[in-house]
Amino acid sequence: MNKFVQNYIQDHKGDILQSWVDKMKENADERVINVVSDQVFVRTSNEFIEVLISNITDSNEEFQSKLGDFAEKIIRLGWPLTFVNEGMKLFNIVVTEGMVKEGVMTKDNQLEIVLDFDEWITPLNNEIINVYTSTWERTVSLQRIALQELSAPLIPVFEGITVMPLIGTIDTERAKQIMENLLSGAVRHRSEVVLIDITGVPVVDTMVAHHIIQAAEAVRLVGAKCMLVGIRPEIAQTIVNLGINLDEIITKNTLKKGVEAALQITNRQIIEITEE
């Protein structure tokens, strides 16, 4: 980078930060302004300037480390990529306007400085976008894995009786997670009866039914009985219309009836005791 530009950025960091924050607020989406306080906004903006300067003063390894930490932070704050990209453009404007005002950039050296500055800022901008994107993808991937694990829990309700409540759409990837959780959970909890509750599943089509039948067969292979509960009238009609065979699976229309049936299978029952 041109030494004039480098020295100007380092010597006028405070002024650049203030001008940059003001311009960012003018151009910021209301969602960004609403999710962070002024103090956090200024502190994070200062960190952004420090990251940019780090590309000048620090080694590439130190710069990459700071850039990665900053990307993770702004993702947690909910700053969209367009906002970050706009910030790079405004930084360019603030520095250029400041150098003109201070007389650092003149008609004689303007072309040289602009070309040199652009040669520095463009790769930096691309690097920030790449790191932001990869960090975002990694964050989303980790969140998806966490949600998948939570979306198909196997819950012990009585000794030998476990329930898996399913909510939302079941696709192939989630069906695989359901199968894994069912098998590992049935063995871990020593389940005799496993209830799959589909009350919260909006649509049961051929694919969903196929996955459920597969899960039930797998549960039987590890020594437990599988029961399908929460079959609403519209789902029952869909199953009949599709010609899906559920003869090998015990079905109940509510979880309550399913638990009662599971207790009978395990030679237990709930008795109401009245006090005299």
Side-chain angles (χ1 to χ4, degrees):
M1 175 190 283
N2 186 290
K3 287 294 182 181
F4 290 116
V5 180
Q6 181 175 332
N7 292 336
Y8 176 81
I9 293 176
Q10 291 178 289
D11 295 341
H12 297 77
K13 186 180 70 173
D15 295 334
I16 292 173
L17 173 63
Q18 187 58 55
S19 299
W20 188 76
V21 168
D22 292 340
K23 287 184 180 294
M24 287 291 284
K25 285 188 175 182
E26 292 175 6
N27 292 272
D29 190 303
E30 288 186 4
R31 292 173 300 175
V32 177
I33 298 300
N34 291 335
V35 296
V36 295
S37 64
D38 287 343
Q39 184 179 3
V40 172
F41 188 90
V42 172
R43 185 169 66 246
T44 307
S45 299
N46 188 44
E47 290 179 20
F48 186 40
I49 300 294
E50 291 289 351
V51 168
L52 298 180
I53 295 177
S54 173
N55 192 39
I56 303 172
T57 59
D58 297 341
S59 66
N60 185 62
E61 184 178 342
E62 291 173 322
F63 167 68
Q64 290 293 335
S65 176
K66 289 181 179 180
L67 183 56
D69 293 341
F70 180 75
E72 291 182 4
K73 181 170 186 175
I74 59 178
I75 286 173
R76 289 197 302 270
L77 290 174
W79 286 18
L81 181 55
T82 52
F83 184 68
V84 178
N85 193 39
E86 183 66 21
M88 291 296 298
K89 294 179 182 178
L90 291 176
F91 178 81
N92 192 347
I93 293 172
V94 168
V95 172
T96 302
E97 290 179 346
M99 286 192 296
V100 171
K101 185 178 179 180
E102 292 289 327
V104 176
M105 183 184 293
T106 64
K107 290 182 180 180
D108 296 332
N109 64 11
Q110 182 176 4
L111 181 60
E112 179 186 352
I113 289 179
V114 169
L115 290 175
D116 192 68
F117 186 72
D118 184 69
E119 187 178 345
W120 171 74
I121 203 74
T122 299
L124 178 60
N125 186 42
N126 293 337
E127 184 68 19
I128 288 176
I129 291 174
N130 288 336
V131 171
Y132 182 97
T133 304
S134 60
T135 303
W136 177 259
E137 289 174 349
R138 184 172 67 253
T139 301
V140 171
S141 178
L142 292 173
Q143 289 175 343
R144 183 171 62 250
I145 292 172
L147 286 173
Q148 286 176 345
E149 293 175 350
L150 293 172
S151 67
L154 191 64
I155 305 169
V157 290
F158 292 102
E159 184 178 351
I161 300 175
T162 52
V163 177
M164 176 173 282
L166 300 178
I167 298 175
T169 304
I170 299 176
D171 55 16
T172 302
E173 187 175 352
R174 189 179 179 203
K176 180 181 178 182
Q177 186 71 42
I178 290 171
M179 179 79 77
E180 292 175 357
N181 289 4
L182 269 175
L183 294 177
S184 61
V187 173
R188 184 171 64 255
H189 298 301
R190 297 181 180 179
S191 302
E192 297 178 49
V193 183
V194 176
L195 290 81
I196 301 178
D197 184 8
I198 62 170
T199 304
V201 178
V203 177
V204 175
D205 55 17
T206 305
M207 185 193 72
V208 173
H210 175 69
H211 289 316
I212 291 174
I213 292 171
Q214 279 189 323
E217 291 175 348
V219 167
R220 283 202 297 271
L221 290 176
V222 296
K225 292 184 178 180
C226 187
M227 189 181 303
L228 186 62
V229 303
I231 301 179
R232 305 185 300 277
E234 60 271 23
I235 290 182
Q237 185 176 1
T238 300
I239 291 174
V240 171
N241 291 338
L242 293 173
I244 298 169
N245 184 10
L246 295 178
D247 292 342
E248 298 297 322
I249 302 176
I250 303 172
T251 59
K252 298 293 179 180
N253 64 337
T254 65
L255 178 59
K256 179 176 179 293
K257 291 182 179 180
V259 171
E260 291 173 351
L263 288 171
Q264 290 178 356
I265 292 172
T266 55
N267 299 316
R268 287 173 290 179
Q269 61 178 333
I270 298 176
I271 300 176
E272 183 178 350
I273 299 177
T274 57
E275 296 182 2
E276 296 182 357

